[in-house]
PDB file of all heavy atoms in Angstrom:
ATOM      1  N   GLU A   1     -16.269  31.038 215.946  1.00 82.00           N
ATOM      2  CA  GLU A   1     -15.217  30.773 216.928  1.00 82.00           C
ATOM      3  C   GLU A   1     -15.630  29.682 217.926  1.00 82.00           C
ATOM      4  O   GLU A   1     -14.738  29.286 218.690  1.00 82.00           O
ATOM      5  CB  GLU A   1     -15.140  32.062 217.774  1.00 82.00           C
ATOM      6  CG  GLU A   1     -14.582  33.295 216.960  1.00 82.00           C
ATOM      7  CD  GLU A   1     -14.630  34.613 217.656  1.00 82.00           C
ATOM      8  OE1 GLU A   1     -14.899  34.646 218.859  1.00 82.00           O
ATOM      9  OE2 GLU A   1     -14.540  35.604 217.007  1.00 82.00           O
ATOM     10  N   LEU A   2     -16.833  29.086 217.803  1.00 86.00           N
ATOM     11  CA  LEU A   2     -17.210  28.105 218.714  1.00 86.00           C
ATOM     12  C   LEU A   2     -16.665  26.628 218.248  1.00 86.00           C
ATOM     13  O   LEU A   2     -16.738  25.599 219.063  1.00 86.00           O
ATOM     14  CB  LEU A   2     -18.735  27.933 218.753  1.00 86.00           C
ATOM     15  CG  LEU A   2     -19.426  29.222 219.387  1.00 86.00           C
ATOM     16  CD1 LEU A   2     -20.882  28.993 219.340  1.00 86.00           C
ATOM     17  CD2 LEU A   2     -18.853  29.343 220.898  1.00 86.00           C
ATOM     18  N   GLY A   3     -16.031  26.539 217.117  1.00 88.00           N
ATOM     19  CA  GLY A   3     -15.457  25.236 216.651  1.00 88.00           C
ATOM     20  C   GLY A   3     -16.467  24.205 216.206  1.00 88.00           C
ATOM     21  O   GLY A   3     -16.208  23.065 216.361  1.00 88.00           O
ATOM     22  N   ILE A   4     -17.580  24.629 215.722  1.00 91.00           N
ATOM     23  CA  ILE A   4     -18.625  23.771 215.290  1.00 91.00           C
ATOM     24  C   ILE A   4     -18.085  22.762 214.241  1.00 91.00           C
ATOM     25  O   ILE A   4     -18.393  21.592 214.211  1.00 91.00           O
ATOM     26  CB  ILE A   4     -19.940  24.439 214.857  1.00 91.00           C
ATOM     27  CG1 ILE A   4     -20.523  25.107 216.103  1.00 91.00           C
ATOM     28  CG2 ILE A   4     -20.877  23.484 214.161  1.00 91.00           C
ATOM     29  CD1 ILE A   4     -21.643  26.011 215.714  1.00 91.00           C
ATOM     30  N   ASP A   5     -17.382  23.264 213.262  1.00 91.00           N
ATOM     31  CA  ASP A   5     -16.712  22.460 212.289  1.00 91.00           C
ATOM     32  C   ASP A   5     -15.962  21.236 212.834  1.00 91.00           C
ATOM     33  O   ASP A   5     -16.022  20.158 212.379  1.00 91.00           O
ATOM     34  CB  ASP A   5     -15.748  23.225 211.387  1.00 91.00           C
ATOM     35  CG  ASP A   5     -16.512  24.194 210.422  1.00 91.00           C
ATOM     36  OD1 ASP A   5     -17.420  23.742 209.787  1.00 91.00           O
ATOM     37  OD2 ASP A   5     -16.105  25.352 210.479  1.00 91.00           O
ATOM     38  N   GLU A   6     -15.091  21.465 213.851  1.00 92.00           N
ATOM     39  CA  GLU A   6     -14.340  20.487 214.509  1.00 92.00           C
ATOM     40  C   GLU A   6     -15.189  19.394 215.179  1.00 92.00           C
ATOM     41  O   GLU A   6     -14.875  18.269 215.168  1.00 92.00           O
ATOM     42  CB  GLU A   6     -13.338  21.076 215.553  1.00 92.00           C
ATOM     43  CG  GLU A   6     -12.249  21.868 214.812  1.00 92.00           C
ATOM     44  CD  GLU A   6     -12.677  23.313 214.539  1.00 92.00           C
ATOM     45  OE1 GLU A   6     -13.788  23.742 214.859  1.00 92.00           O
ATOM     46  OE2 GLU A   6     -11.760  24.021 213.890  1.00 92.00           O
ATOM     47  N   LEU A   7     -16.304  19.805 215.789  1.00 92.00           N
ATOM     48  CA  LEU A   7     -17.190  18.858 216.437  1.00 92.00           C
ATOM     49  C   LEU A   7     -17.765  18.008 215.440  1.00 92.00           C
ATOM     50  O   LEU A   7     -17.942  16.781 215.624  1.00 92.00           O
ATOM     51  CB  LEU A   7     -18.370  19.697 217.179  1.00 92.00           C
ATOM     52  CG  LEU A   7     -17.804  20.617 218.268  1.00 92.00           C
ATOM     53  CD1 LEU A   7     -19.047  21.360 218.885  1.00 92.00           C
ATOM     54  CD2 LEU A   7     -17.146  19.846 219.362  1.00 92.00           C
ATOM     55  N   LEU A   8     -18.235  18.518 214.249  1.00 93.00           N
ATOM     56  CA  LEU A   8     -18.860  17.810 213.210  1.00 93.00           C
ATOM     57  C   LEU A   8     -17.754  16.832 212.514  1.00 93.00           C
ATOM     58  O   LEU A   8     -18.093  15.563 212.407  1.00 93.00           O
ATOM     59  CB  LEU A   8     -19.316  18.724 212.100  1.00 93.00           C
ATOM     60  CG  LEU A   8     -20.551  19.600 212.519  1.00 93.00           C
ATOM     61  CD1 LEU A   8     -20.777  20.636 211.488  1.00 93.00           C
ATOM     62  CD2 LEU A   8     -21.773  18.799 212.868  1.00 93.00           C
ATOM     63  N   ASP A   9     -16.576  17.305 212.498  1.00 92.00           N
ATOM     64  CA  ASP A   9     -15.524  16.412 211.790  1.00 92.00           C
ATOM     65  C   ASP A   9     -15.205  15.267 212.711  1.00 92.00           C
ATOM     66  O   ASP A   9     -14.741  14.238 212.296  1.00 92.00           O
ATOM     67  CB  ASP A   9     -14.328  17.306 211.569  1.00 92.00           C
ATOM     68  CG  ASP A   9     -14.452  18.213 210.363  1.00 92.00           C
ATOM     69  OD1 ASP A   9     -15.458  18.150 209.552  1.00 92.00           O
ATOM     70  OD2 ASP A   9     -13.536  19.206 210.182  1.00 92.00           O
ATOM     71  N   ALA A  10     -15.402  15.435 214.045  1.00 92.00           N
ATOM     72  CA  ALA A  10     -15.100  14.490 215.016  1.00 92.00           C
ATOM     73  C   ALA A  10     -16.217  13.347 215.161  1.00 92.00           C
ATOM     74  O   ALA A  10     -16.056  12.453 215.873  1.00 92.00           O
ATOM     75  CB  ALA A  10     -14.764  15.059 216.436  1.00 92.00           C
ATOM     76  N   GLY A  11     -17.303  13.594 214.306  1.00 92.00           N
ATOM     77  CA  GLY A  11     -18.296  12.565 214.373  1.00 92.00           C
ATOM     78  C   GLY A  11     -19.422  12.840 215.292  1.00 92.00           C
ATOM     79  O   GLY A  11     -20.256  12.003 215.497  1.00 92.00           O
ATOM     80  N   ALA A  12     -19.465  13.962 215.975  1.00 94.00           N
ATOM     81  CA  ALA A  12     -20.553  14.298 216.838  1.00 94.00           C
ATOM     82  C   ALA A  12     -21.825  14.774 216.100  1.00 94.00           C
ATOM     83  O   ALA A  12     -21.752  15.176 214.905  1.00 94.00           O
ATOM     84  CB  ALA A  12     -20.141  15.472 217.797  1.00 94.00           C
ATOM     85  N   VAL A  13     -22.898  14.582 216.762  1.00 96.00           N
ATOM     86  CA  VAL A  13     -24.238  15.301 216.292  1.00 96.00           C
ATOM     87  C   VAL A  13     -24.283  16.621 217.010  1.00 96.00           C
ATOM     88  O   VAL A  13     -24.000  16.776 218.165  1.00 96.00           O
ATOM     89  CB  VAL A  13     -25.373  14.396 216.699  1.00 96.00           C
ATOM     90  CG1 VAL A  13     -26.714  15.170 216.497  1.00 96.00           C
ATOM     91  CG2 VAL A  13     -25.490  13.125 215.892  1.00 96.00           C
ATOM     92  N   VAL A  14     -24.512  17.682 216.264  1.00 96.00           N
ATOM     93  CA  VAL A  14     -24.490  19.011 216.786  1.00 96.00           C
ATOM     94  C   VAL A  14     -25.874  19.631 216.573  1.00 96.00           C
ATOM     95  O   VAL A  14     -26.325  19.635 215.465  1.00 96.00           O
ATOM     96  CB  VAL A  14     -23.383  20.007 216.179  1.00 96.00           C
ATOM     97  CG1 VAL A  14     -23.489  21.319 216.783  1.00 96.00           C
ATOM     98  CG2 VAL A  14     -22.025  19.359 216.344  1.00 96.00           C
ATOM     99  N   VAL A  15     -26.622  19.987 217.683  1.00 96.00           N
ATOM    100  CA  VAL A  15     -27.888  20.591 217.537  1.00 96.00           C
ATOM    101  C   VAL A  15     -27.702  22.028 218.001  1.00 96.00           C
ATOM    102  O   VAL A  15     -27.230  22.406 219.079  1.00 96.00           O
ATOM    103  CB  VAL A  15     -28.885  19.848 218.587  1.00 96.00           C
ATOM    104  CG1 VAL A  15     -30.243  20.628 218.585  1.00 96.00           C
ATOM    105  CG2 VAL A  15     -28.955  18.429 218.191  1.00 96.00           C
ATOM    106  N   VAL A  16     -28.116  22.943 217.176  1.00 95.00           N
ATOM    107  CA  VAL A  16     -27.947  24.394 217.392  1.00 95.00           C
ATOM    108  C   VAL A  16     -29.348  25.092 217.529  1.00 95.00           C
ATOM    109  O   VAL A  16     -30.099  25.080 216.670  1.00 95.00           O
ATOM    110  CB  VAL A  16     -27.155  25.044 216.233  1.00 95.00           C
ATOM    111  CG1 VAL A  16     -27.040  26.535 216.493  1.00 95.00           C
ATOM    112  CG2 VAL A  16     -25.836  24.379 216.091  1.00 95.00           C
ATOM    113  N   GLU A  17     -29.510  25.637 218.752  1.00 94.00           N
ATOM    114  CA  GLU A  17     -30.712  26.533 218.890  1.00 94.00           C
ATOM    115  C   GLU A  17     -30.350  27.978 218.391  1.00 94.00           C
ATOM    116  O   GLU A  17     -29.237  28.326 218.447  1.00 94.00           O
ATOM    117  CB  GLU A  17     -31.118  26.660 220.324  1.00 94.00           C
ATOM    118  CG  GLU A  17     -31.632  25.244 220.911  1.00 94.00           C
ATOM    119  CD  GLU A  17     -32.291  25.398 222.289  1.00 94.00           C
ATOM    120  OE1 GLU A  17     -32.971  26.467 222.526  1.00 94.00           O
ATOM    121  OE2 GLU A  17     -32.138  24.542 223.147  1.00 94.00           O
ATOM    122  N   TRP A  18     -31.366  28.567 217.845  1.00 93.00           N
ATOM    123  CA  TRP A  18     -31.127  29.886 217.073  1.00 93.00           C
ATOM    124  C   TRP A  18     -30.245  29.681 215.895  1.00 93.00           C
ATOM    125  O   TRP A  18     -29.375  30.402 215.605  1.00 93.00           O
ATOM    126  CB  TRP A  18     -30.662  30.986 218.064  1.00 93.00           C
ATOM    127  CG  TRP A  18     -31.601  31.132 219.144  1.00 93.00           C
ATOM    128  CD1 TRP A  18     -31.514  30.588 220.405  1.00 93.00           C
ATOM    129  CD2 TRP A  18     -32.777  31.713 219.160  1.00 93.00           C
ATOM    130  NE1 TRP A  18     -32.561  30.928 221.238  1.00 93.00           N
ATOM    131  CE2 TRP A  18     -33.400  31.726 220.445  1.00 93.00           C
ATOM    132  CE3 TRP A  18     -33.537  32.604 218.260  1.00 93.00           C
ATOM    133  CZ2 TRP A  18     -34.633  32.272 220.799  1.00 93.00           C
ATOM    134  CZ3 TRP A  18     -34.709  33.121 218.578  1.00 93.00           C
ATOM    135  CH2 TRP A  18     -35.267  33.002 219.805  1.00 93.00           C
ATOM    136  N   GLY A  19     -30.463  28.572 215.118  1.00 93.00           N
ATOM    137  CA  GLY A  19     -29.671  28.234 214.020  1.00 93.00           C
ATOM    138  C   GLY A  19     -29.544  29.208 212.872  1.00 93.00           C
ATOM    139  O   GLY A  19     -28.653  29.199 212.038  1.00 93.00           O
ATOM    140  N   GLU A  20     -30.518  30.121 212.819  1.00 92.00           N
ATOM    141  CA  GLU A  20     -30.468  31.267 211.876  1.00 92.00           C
ATOM    142  C   GLU A  20     -29.291  32.094 212.052  1.00 92.00           C
ATOM    143  O   GLU A  20     -28.940  32.812 211.151  1.00 92.00           O
ATOM    144  CB  GLU A  20     -31.772  32.098 211.842  1.00 92.00           C
ATOM    145  CG  GLU A  20     -32.017  32.842 213.109  1.00 92.00           C
ATOM    146  CD  GLU A  20     -32.816  32.085 214.280  1.00 92.00           C
ATOM    147  OE1 GLU A  20     -32.750  30.821 214.233  1.00 92.00           O
ATOM    148  OE2 GLU A  20     -33.381  32.728 215.078  1.00 92.00           O
ATOM    149  N   ARG A  21     -28.661  31.998 213.163  1.00 90.00           N
ATOM    150  CA  ARG A  21     -27.377  32.821 213.489  1.00 90.00           C
ATOM    151  C   ARG A  21     -26.182  32.106 213.106  1.00 90.00           C
ATOM    152  O   ARG A  21     -25.015  32.616 213.256  1.00 90.00           O
ATOM    153  CB  ARG A  21     -27.313  33.164 214.960  1.00 90.00           C
ATOM    154  CG  ARG A  21     -28.501  34.115 215.260  1.00 90.00           C
ATOM    155  CD  ARG A  21     -28.692  34.541 216.667  1.00 90.00           C
ATOM    156  NE  ARG A  21     -29.864  35.294 216.847  1.00 90.00           N
ATOM    157  CZ  ARG A  21     -30.212  35.878 218.033  1.00 90.00           C
ATOM    158  NH1 ARG A  21     -29.463  35.757 218.990  1.00 90.00           N
ATOM    159  NH2 ARG A  21     -31.292  36.636 218.106  1.00 90.00           N
ATOM    160  N   LEU A  22     -26.266  30.882 212.594  1.00 91.00           N
ATOM    161  CA  LEU A  22     -25.121  30.184 212.046  1.00 91.00           C
ATOM    162  C   LEU A  22     -24.542  30.781 210.862  1.00 91.00           C
ATOM    163  O   LEU A  22     -25.342  31.492 210.052  1.00 91.00           O
ATOM    164  CB  LEU A  22     -25.492  28.710 211.666  1.00 91.00           C
ATOM    165  CG  LEU A  22     -25.556  27.644 212.803  1.00 91.00           C
ATOM    166  CD1 LEU A  22     -26.332  26.400 212.205  1.00 91.00           C
ATOM    167  CD2 LEU A  22     -24.257  27.307 213.320  1.00 91.00           C
ATOM    168  N   PRO A  23     -23.315  30.680 210.527  1.00 90.00           N
ATOM    169  CA  PRO A  23     -22.799  31.186 209.223  1.00 90.00           C
ATOM    170  C   PRO A  23     -23.457  30.416 208.039  1.00 90.00           C
ATOM    171  O   PRO A  23     -23.861  29.273 208.179  1.00 90.00           O
ATOM    172  CB  PRO A  23     -21.325  30.750 209.238  1.00 90.00           C
ATOM    173  CG  PRO A  23     -21.001  30.585 210.694  1.00 90.00           C
ATOM    174  CD  PRO A  23     -22.220  30.147 211.397  1.00 90.00           C
ATOM    175  N   GLU A  24     -23.718  31.115 206.973  1.00 89.00           N
ATOM    176  CA  GLU A  24     -24.428  30.553 205.837  1.00 89.00           C
ATOM    177  C   GLU A  24     -23.905  29.198 205.417  1.00 89.00           C
ATOM    178  O   GLU A  24     -24.598  28.267 205.035  1.00 89.00           O
ATOM    179  CB  GLU A  24     -24.391  31.590 204.662  1.00 89.00           C
ATOM    180  CG  GLU A  24     -24.972  31.066 203.345  1.00 89.00           C
ATOM    181  CD  GLU A  24     -26.442  30.663 203.539  1.00 89.00           C
ATOM    182  OE1 GLU A  24     -27.194  31.257 204.217  1.00 89.00           O
ATOM    183  OE2 GLU A  24     -26.870  29.696 202.729  1.00 89.00           O
ATOM    184  N   ARG A  25     -22.591  29.124 205.398  1.00 90.00           N
ATOM    185  CA  ARG A  25     -21.984  27.828 204.888  1.00 90.00           C
ATOM    186  C   ARG A  25     -22.348  26.589 205.745  1.00 90.00           C
ATOM    187  O   ARG A  25     -22.545  25.520 205.251  1.00 90.00           O
ATOM    188  CB  ARG A  25     -20.445  27.948 204.813  1.00 90.00           C
ATOM    189  CG  ARG A  25     -19.703  28.167 206.151  1.00 90.00           C
ATOM    190  CD  ARG A  25     -18.214  28.146 206.095  1.00 90.00           C
ATOM    191  NE  ARG A  25     -17.773  28.251 207.427  1.00 90.00           N
ATOM    192  CZ  ARG A  25     -17.571  27.244 208.233  1.00 90.00           C
ATOM    193  NH1 ARG A  25     -18.008  26.067 207.891  1.00 90.00           N
ATOM    194  NH2 ARG A  25     -17.068  27.408 209.374  1.00 90.00           N
ATOM    195  N   LEU A  26     -22.543  26.888 207.059  1.00 91.00           N
ATOM    196  CA  LEU A  26     -23.090  25.783 207.903  1.00 91.00           C
ATOM    197  C   LEU A  26     -24.520  25.560 207.786  1.00 91.00           C
ATOM    198  O   LEU A  26     -25.016  24.317 207.740  1.00 91.00           O
ATOM    199  CB  LEU A  26     -22.723  26.029 209.392  1.00 91.00           C
ATOM    200  CG  LEU A  26     -21.218  25.962 209.792  1.00 91.00           C
ATOM    201  CD1 LEU A  26     -21.017  26.431 211.192  1.00 91.00           C
ATOM    202  CD2 LEU A  26     -20.679  24.518 209.670  1.00 91.00           C
TER     203      LEU A  26
END
């Protein structure tokens, strides 16, 4: 629900703390 896909598609660099909680596909 955070829209990480959209941020990546817009060309941003995304740094995620606690990345083990990301969906598997990400």
